[in-house]
Amino acid sequence: MAGKVFFSVSMSLDGFSAPESMEGMLATPEQRDRNPRLKRWTAQWMELQAWIFPQRFFRQNLHLGDDGEEGRDNDIVRETFERTGASIMGKRMFDLGEQAWPEEAPFHTPVFVVTHQRRDPWERPGGTTFHFVNDGIHSALGQARDVAGDRDVRISGGSATILAYLNAGLVDEFSIALSPVLFGAGTRLFDGVDASRVALEPIRSEASSRATHLSYVVHSR
Amino acid sequence: MAGKVFFSVSMSLDGFSAPESMEGMLATPEQRDRNPRLKRWTAQWMELQAWIFPQRFFRQNLHLGDDGEEGRDNDIVRETFERTGASIMGKRMFDLGEQAWPEEAPFHTPVFVVTHQRRDPWERPGGTTFHFVNDGIHSALGQARDVAGDRDVRISGGSATILAYLNAGLVDEFSIALSPVLFGAGTRLFDGVDASRVALEPIRSEASSRATHLSYVVHSR
């Protein structure tokens, strides 16, 4: 049985999945302290993701520590990980992650990076191998399905990649961790959504003290 | 004891509280059927508000009928009505409502319309009186508090009026009925929010089959 195609992201109450663009803001921690825009970006990002950082599974998977919370939020992080047999991401997300992930990248499955850049597969310890796909989102999805087996394919991000799959009718369902924060500006998760094609059926709404977890099945109109 | 200042609106998952501007689209039902933009506006509005239309309290209050649902959604509509001792709205919302409300307007309390237009109070059967306030949002709030007693003051809308109160630090709490729909374009509820001033504390998240009802207390940063 083929798995599903899904995405799962954190979103601010006003619809942003990331603070204002980081273009040109990548810097060392010392530079960051002297750059107020980058400081604000980091503070907003931390607020958006505040629900996930304390979770035990998240912390173990990123080698941040063996401590952490074990409630429903933690279960949701683990369930999202366990259902995923392969991931797809855009080039910008990969570039940011390449700098941020530990050597043992946190996917532990094949990851397909949609990019114009040609590059040999990049194998990391722990089972993550990045494959660079140069012929578009359908090809990346086909390759991801092949390796995922009966597990699901996760469109990891960023928003532009998620929207490309959503508007192409290729997403079966998605989950949003709605964080209690307003951004006012930044990257809107659903910017450019083809609302005339995408209809939603709510399948779960579950609140923790830190976020409201919403899940929807996607239908065509 | 003074009441609270709150707002309560429906919002699409991508953050819109109304479809694209209706400017120039007001029309008779016959014209509406021939105007695809207006038809789309109406269809989107109906989807956004789909959770509230079937509710018994809502239908009775707008004289749409004595039938309707009586579950948790209906309780929320009634509770929102019962806590409200006075309402505040912008001129555009009033203009739309003046054409749409039944003669017995659905507020049954004083309503303060923030506007540059000078006009005598307009009393409707059933206890609604519209007062036209020409000296700004603080004045309207003061007058609304005076008549609301220990009940709450509701900022009814539209979004621009809600945002003016929110950014001025005058809103104590708010509720959003998050509808399972994507708009892609329209009026964003939180467009222009001063994110550097407004912090949110989630106090309720309650899902029905039709919407997720989210409530937050507003704090200053």
Side-chain angles (χ1 to χ4, degrees):
Chain A
M1 198 188 79
K4 289 173 179 160
V5 179
F6 79 104
F7 65 86
S8 177
V9 295
S10 301
M11 187 176 86
S12 72
L13 181 60
D14 52 348
F16 296 96
S17 53
E20 280 183 276
S21 168
M22 273 184 81
E23 299 290 347
M25 286 199 290
L26 292 174
T28 64
E30 294 71 35
Q31 291 172 314
R32 188 180 309 157
D33 285 341
R34 291 196 302 267
N35 182 339
R37 255 184 79 214
L38 188 52
K39 242 175 126 168
R40 180 151 175 274
W41 192 98
T42 306
Q44 285 195 310
W45 179 256
M46 297 295 283
E47 281 197 353
L48 181 69
Q49 304 290 352
W51 73 275
I52 205 173
F53 287 126
Q55 305 311 320
R56 183 177 166 91
F57 187 91
F58 178 84
R59 295 180 56 74
Q60 288 181 328
N61 196 35
L62 278 171
H63 297 283
L64 299 172
D66 274 331
D67 55 332
E69 297 179 8
E70 292 192 303
R72 187 65 191 119
D73 284 327
N74 191 56
D75 290 344
I76 287 172
V77 181
R78 193 185 51 246
E79 287 161 15
T80 303
F81 176 86
E82 287 174 350
R83 69 185 283 192
T84 303
S87 290
I88 294 174
M89 67 181 60
K91 178 60 158 48
R92 210 174 313 170
M93 178 172 174
F94 172 78
D95 286 345
L96 290 171
E98 192 175 12
Q99 300 181 45
W101 294 315
E103 194 188 358
E104 191 176 311
F107 301 93
H108 308 288
T109 65
V111 176
F112 297 88
V113 181
V114 181
T115 175
H116 296 294
Q117 190 191 45
R118 293 181 180 278
R119 180 169 164 179
D120 289 332
W122 187 43
E123 197 176 328
R124 310 305 297 148
T128 303
T129 300
F130 295 95
H131 300 272
F132 301 87
V133 179
N134 304 135
D135 51 354
I137 64 171
H138 286 85
S139 168
L141 181 56
Q143 295 178 57
R145 279 190 198 278
D146 284 346
V147 299
D150 52 11
R151 283 198 290 166
D152 297 335
V153 173
R154 178 177 182 175
I155 315 299
S156 295
S159 310
T161 302
I162 286 173
L163 257 282
Y165 279 97
L166 186 61
N167 281 342
L170 298 172
V171 173
D172 297 308
E173 55 185 57
F174 65 84
S175 296
I176 287 176
L178 195 68
S179 293
V181 58
L182 295 170
F183 273 14
T187 302
R188 295 185 196 279
L189 176 57
F190 291 108
D191 200 23
V193 67
D194 185 350
S196 67
R197 286 193 53 181
V198 179
L200 306 181
E201 175 197 348
I203 53 170
R204 191 183 67 175
S205 173
E206 201 177 346
S208 74
S209 60
R210 298 183 178 279
T212 299
H213 299 278
L214 305 161
S215 295
Y216 303 88
V217 166
V218 180
H219 297 288
S220 295
R221 282 185 188 271
Chain B
M1 197 188 78
K4 289 172 179 161
V5 179
F6 79 103
F7 65 85
S8 177
V9 295
S10 300
M11 187 175 86
S12 73
L13 181 61
D14 51 350
F16 296 95
S17 54
E20 279 183 279
S21 169
M22 273 184 78
E23 300 290 348
M25 285 200 287
L26 293 174
T28 64
E30 294 71 35
Q31 291 172 313
R32 189 181 306 158
D33 285 342
R34 292 197 301 268
N35 181 338
R37 256 183 78 214
L38 187 54
K39 242 176 127 168
R40 180 149 176 273
W41 192 97
T42 305
Q44 285 195 310
W45 179 257
M46 297 295 282
E47 281 197 353
L48 181 68
Q49 304 291 351
W51 73 275
I52 204 173
F53 287 127
Q55 305 310 320
R56 184 176 166 91
F57 186 92
F58 178 84
R59 295 180 57 74
Q60 289 181 329
N61 197 36
L62 278 172
H63 297 282
L64 299 173
D66 274 331
D67 56 331
E69 297 178 9
E70 292 192 304
R72 188 64 191 118
D73 284 327
N74 190 55
D75 291 343
I76 287 172
V77 181
R78 193 184 53 247
E79 288 161 13
T80 303
F81 177 85
E82 287 174 350
R83 69 184 285 193
T84 303
S87 291
I88 294 174
M89 67 180 60
K91 177 60 159 47
R92 208 173 314 171
M93 179 172 172
F94 172 77
D95 287 345
L96 290 171
E98 193 177 10
Q99 300 180 45
W101 295 314
E103 194 189 358
E104 191 177 312
F107 300 94
H108 308 287
T109 65
V111 176
F112 297 88
V113 182
V114 181
T115 174
H116 295 294
Q117 190 191 44
R118 292 179 182 279
R119 179 168 166 181
D120 289 333
W122 187 43
E123 197 175 328
R124 310 305 297 146
T128 303
T129 301
F130 294 94
H131 300 272
F132 301 88
V133 179
N134 303 134
D135 52 353
I137 63 170
H138 287 83
S139 168
L141 181 55
Q143 296 177 56
R145 278 190 198 278
D146 284 347
V147 300
D150 53 9
R151 283 197 290 166
D152 297 335
V153 173
R154 178 176 183 174
I155 315 298
S156 293
S159 310
T161 303
I162 286 172
L163 257 281
Y165 280 97
L166 186 61
N167 282 342
L170 298 171
V171 174
D172 297 308
E173 55 185 59
F174 64 83
S175 295
I176 288 176
L178 196 68
S179 293
V181 57
L182 295 170
F183 272 14
T187 302
R188 294 185 196 278
L189 176 57
F190 291 108
D191 199 23
V193 67
D194 185 351
S196 66
R197 287 193 54 181
V198 179
L200 306 181
E201 176 197 346
I203 53 172
R204 191 183 67 178
S205 173
E206 202 176 345
S208 75
S209 60
R210 297 184 179 278
T212 298
H213 299 278
L214 305 161
S215 296
Y216 301 87
V217 167
V218 180
H219 297 288
S220 296
R221 282 186 187 272

